[in-house]
Amino acid sequence: MNTSKVVLIAVLTFLSSLTFADVSDDLIAMDKQWGAAGGPAGYVSEDVIGIGPTGIVNFGNLVADAAANANAGEEYVVSGYQVKFLSDDIAVMVHTAAGSDPHASLHVIQKQGDGWLVVATAAAPAS
């Protein structure tokens, strides 16, 4: 392989990693906004599938859960974010949350149009 091809591949790889880092920051910000928003609208796909403490959940369950916890008055405190890209338009995110409902979350996030939406989610109580 000639030198120009090696340099081009190195530059493209570097630029790609910067793009994913920027998108990771955007996805983390989106998750924090979802946690503070009081509901999944605008952050979660309406055809989401998930697993929660009581079993399989859907968008309606997430809306009901958010409404039930709306008056908690608690700040959404999260940490340990990790984001892995499966492709240019699909990412997997994990994190932990503290407070009255300490848990670990896993989200599959898909780019849809100009934005990103959670298309699958799972939560497990923190131990």
Side-chain angles (χ1 to χ4, degrees):
M1 191 180 297
N2 67 34
T3 304
S4 61
K5 286 183 183 178
V6 171
V7 169
L8 179 60
I9 290 171
V11 168
L12 291 175
T13 301
F14 174 73
L15 292 176
S16 175
S17 68
L18 289 179
T19 301
F20 283 147
D22 290 345
V23 174
S24 292
D25 291 344
D26 292 344
L27 296 179
I28 290 168
M30 180 190 85
D31 182 75
K32 289 179 180 180
Q33 291 167 1
W34 172 22
Y43 306 99
V44 178
S45 173
E46 290 189 9
D47 64 351
V48 67
I49 58 173
I51 299 172
T54 59
I56 297 173
V57 297
N58 60 28
F59 188 80
N61 300 124
L62 295 176
V63 169
D65 186 48
N69 294 315
N71 295 324
E74 213 174 48
E75 182 182 355
Y76 186 62
V77 179
V78 292
S79 62
Y81 277 106
Q82 294 179 38
V83 179
K84 178 178 181 178
F85 286 86
L86 304 180
S87 67
D88 290 344
D89 64 348
I90 297 176
V92 176
M93 170 189 288
V94 295
H95 65 80
T96 58
S100 60
D101 178 25
H103 64 276
S105 292
L106 180 142
H107 308 303
V108 177
I109 308 168
Q110 182 180 36
K111 186 169 187 179
Q112 297 184 0
D114 292 336
W116 293 81
L117 292 173
V118 173
V119 295
T121 188
S127 53

